[in-house]
Amino acid sequence: MSKRPTWNIHTHTYRCGHAYGTDEEYVRKAMEIGINYLGFSDHVFIPGRSDPRIRGDYSELEGYIASIRDLEKKYEGRVTIKLGFEAEWMDEYADYYADLLHSKKVDYLILGQHCRIMHDRFFGYGYLPDVKDRLEFYCIDVLCGIQSGLFTYVCHPDLFTRFVGEWDQKCEEISHRICKEAAKYGLPLEFNFGNSRGAVKNFPGEPAHMTYPHPRFWEIAKQYDIPVVLGVDAHHPDHFLESDYDWAYRFIEALGLKLVDSWPLNSGL
Ligand SMILES: [Zn+2]
Ligand SMILES: [Zn+2]
């Protein structure tokens, strides 16, 4: 078998409402490709707010913790299992995130900025009428997340390509700002496999679709010499088998990015 990652800390569970399978099935499929360090990072549950089909309800927190901790014990010696969340930076919940880490309820958080809170509800950047605002708000939120010291890495930093029609000067600008800040704080950027399982895949040197991973973003990341980690972003146990790893390694090699096989978890302390 050609090369496969042995470390992945971007894994979802059915609790978010758009992922499938049992928690244990994710473990088994991950082991099938040779993963020996597996982190669960479901979309963070937020106390007092409901976000159906995007993230699990806060009432599921204890069950999530118990289930993953049980698997951690059950598979001890065969695969290292860690528990975390993929979370958006949100000022209002910084204390909650810090408490999740400090109380050791979870081992780590990864920064996956999909939305922000506006008008007292979750608001996807793509719904903002002005394209420049979408990019600027996304960028500011990612920068705050990086600066918070709570996160282990930045998930799909080029997610913003999905909010705009074409790569423009503003995309260029925010890519530099995100990469510069990640470099300053020593945070890796994640090369995300979510789209590798679909039809549209970019490759350096070819005309790019507005999706991630986007070659232009990663050309800029290269200039800052930032460590790059792989994130399967599994929403189904089979995603471990279906992700296009060969394409990813070729993409990363074509740009000469600094791929690292693993990265220490940031416990926020
Ligand atoms: Zn998801
Ligand atoms: Zn994810």
Side-chain angles (χ1 to χ4, degrees), residues 79-117:
V79 51
T80 301
I81 295 179
K82 297 289 178 184
L83 171 60
F85 275 120
E86 176 182 18
E88 289 81 4
W89 168 257
M90 292 184 273
D91 217 12
E92 300 85 334
Y93 296 103
D95 289 345
Y96 165 57
Y97 292 169
D99 182 63
L100 284 172
L101 290 169
H102 298 162
S103 64
K104 303 209 180 336
K105 284 197 172 87
V106 302
D107 304 315
Y108 71 97
L109 300 172
I110 48 179
L111 178 65
Q113 197 68 40
H114 307 89
C115 61
R116 61 183 357 234
I117 291 186

Side-chain angles (χ1 to χ4, degrees), residues 2-28:
S2 46
K3 198 175 173 205
R4 296 285 179 265
T6 55
W7 180 94
N8 169 66
I9 62 165
H10 196 160
T11 313
H12 291 278
T13 79
Y14 68 87
R15 295 171 187 81
C16 67
H18 62 272
Y20 306 90
T22 66
D23 299 341
E24 187 161 11
E25 281 166 346
Y26 284 91
V27 177
R28 292 187 165 277

Side-chain angles (χ1 to χ4, degrees), residues 10 12 16 18-19 42-43 53-54 86 114 156 233-235:
H10 196 160
H12 291 278
C16 67
H18 62 272
D42 211 356
H43 295 284
R53 307 200 69 77
I54 302 290
E86 176 182 18
H114 307 89
H156 42 58
D233 201 356
H235 284 77

Side-chain angles (χ1 to χ4, degrees), residues 26 37 76 116 132 138 157 199 205 212 229 233 257-258 260:
Y26 284 91
Y37 191 107
E76 201 182 337
R116 61 183 357 234
K132 278 206 165 48
Y138 174 81
Y212 58 91
V229 293
D233 201 356
L257 296 168
K258 192 161 85 186
V260 292

Side-chain angles (χ1 to χ4, degrees), residues 176-188:
H176 277 283
R177 286 160 68 194
I178 290 169
C179 291
K180 192 173 171 193
E181 209 68 1
K184 183 174 162 193
Y185 284 81
L187 241 62

Side-chain angles (χ1 to χ4, degrees), residues 135-150:
L135 295 173
E136 184 61 25
F137 282 128
Y138 174 81
C139 179
I140 288 171
D141 292 342
V142 170
L143 298 187
C144 288
I146 292 171
Q147 292 158 3
S148 73
L150 295 171

Side-chain angles (χ1 to χ4, degrees), residues 188-252:
L189 301 177
E190 179 205 65
F191 189 93
N192 186 284
F193 282 90
N195 292 315
S196 82
R197 301 180 287 263
V200 175
K201 259 183 292 195
N202 287 324
F203 200 79
E206 293 173 9
H209 306 275
M210 286 309 278
T211 190
Y212 58 91
H214 192 286
R216 182 58 196 149
F217 176 86
W218 291 98
E219 276 172 25
I220 292 169
K222 161 78 181 160
Q223 296 171 28
Y224 292 84
D225 200 28
I226 304 173
V228 176
V229 293
L230 300 180
V232 174
D233 201 356
H235 284 77
H236 190 292
D238 286 342
H239 285 170
F240 286 105
L241 312 177
E242 293 165 359
S243 295
D244 194 344
Y245 302 105
D246 295 341
W247 156 81
Y249 288 121
R250 278 191 287 115
F251 188 121
I252 288 165

Side-chain angles (χ1 to χ4, degrees), residues 33-71:
I33 64 154
I35 283 177
N36 56 35
Y37 191 107
L38 179 70
F40 281 88
S41 54
D42 211 356
H43 295 284
V44 67
F45 315 147
I46 300 285
R49 283 188 195 271
S50 142
D51 199 9
R53 307 200 69 77
I54 302 290
R55 68 191 75 241
D57 194 78
Y58 182 65
S59 61
E60 302 191 76
L61 180 65
E62 296 309 319
Y64 175 55
I65 294 172
S67 169
I68 306 305
R69 294 301 190 201
D70 281 352
L71 289 169

